[in-house]
Amino acid sequence: MLFASLFWGFIAGFALVIGALVGYFTNIPQRVIAGIMAFGSGILISTLALELMEDAYTKGGFASTSLGFVGGALVYTFANIIISKKGAKHRKRSDHHQSSEVKTEGSGMALAVGALLDGIPESIVIGLSLLEGGKVSTVAVVAIFLSNIPESLSSATGMKKAGRSKKYIFSLWIGICLILSLASLAGFAIFSHFPPNVISATIAVAAGAILAMIADTMIPEAFELTHNYTGLITVLGFLAAFVLSKLQ
């Protein structure tokens, strides 16, 4: 099971590398990137609403689920405020909003921390999904994989425009992929002997952090260019994840 959690965490995280490759070496119109971001947001919202929160409630009831959900959002929000002030506010933007190292010293490190902040809750969820029956949640892995691509695609495009080097960009995303693999492993190894209410709260924490991340970073980037179509595209992403959950 330890290897499985590491493997599936790596698979989901590798989507970040794929997205970075596409963003750096292709010239996808920003409107298309924004649309892909909206679609990815819908996928994640569907997964946390239909999979994560339901699983958390089943394991621990309202109390642990509610406390964990709000707690995860609070932790993410405060951490996001801190790194945003350091230069990572526009880390998922594909345009010229991202800060360069010349404009904001230390923003490169802030970008890396921000990317980890966004990805770790998702990876922990993958590890936690293995605790029940030793079988990974296919829906969670596919949903996280599909949502990771637009995140890094948009972010890597913005990094390139901000003057970040190729070495920095790909070292960042490959490193994050490996760290997220370890986060998935930790999700399984650390919580494998914990009581259901603790696991419930942990799943809810991850769900709260993911929803806060979507609202703070993904939807704003999508709405910047897709405007009135953002809601429709997000709904299509939600529907895609919903159908996938019923087909498994």
Side-chain angles (χ1 to χ4, degrees), residues 147-226:
S147 65
N148 276 344
I149 291 177
E151 288 185 49
S152 60
L153 190 160
S154 181
S155 184
T157 301
M159 289 177 186
K160 183 180 179 181
K161 291 178 180 177
R164 305 282 174 187
S165 68
K166 184 191 299 185
K167 180 180 179 181
Y168 169 84
I169 293 172
F170 290 108
S171 295
L172 171 67
W173 292 111
I174 292 172
I176 288 173
C177 172
L178 296 176
I179 293 172
L180 295 186
S181 302
L182 295 176
S184 177
L185 174 64
F188 174 80
I190 295 175
F191 294 95
S192 57
H193 301 295
F194 277 69
N197 62 320
V198 174
I199 297 173
S200 166
T202 304
I203 294 172
V205 165
I210 291 170
L211 185 56
M213 181 270 291
I214 294 169
D216 285 349
T217 65
M218 294 183 72
I219 294 296
E221 163 66 357
F223 185 77
E224 183 76 16
L225 291 171
T226 56

Side-chain angles (χ1 to χ4, degrees), residues 227-244:
H227 301 300
N228 293 333
Y229 297 101
T230 305
L232 174 61
I233 299 170
T234 303
V235 166
L236 292 176
F238 186 101
L239 179 61
F242 173 76
V243 172
L244 179 64

Side-chain angles (χ1 to χ4, degrees), residues 108-166:
M109 179 58 69
L111 284 170
V113 174
L116 284 173
L117 176 67
D118 296 338
I120 284 178
E122 300 169 353
S123 296
I124 290 176
V125 163
I126 293 175
L128 290 173
S129 74
L130 284 160
L131 294 176
E132 191 170 346
K135 184 180 179 181
V136 74
S137 170
T138 305
V139 174
V141 173
V142 173
I144 293 169
F145 183 93
L146 293 176
S147 65
N148 276 344
I149 291 177
E151 288 185 49
S152 60
L153 190 160
S154 181
S155 184
T157 301
M159 289 177 186
K160 183 180 179 181
K161 291 178 180 177
R164 305 282 174 187
S165 68
K166 184 191 299 185

Side-chain angles (χ1 to χ4, degrees), residues 69-84:
F69 191 60
V70 176
L74 284 171
V75 170
Y76 177 89
T77 298
F78 287 127
N80 189 49
I81 290 172
I82 292 171
I83 61 173
S84 292

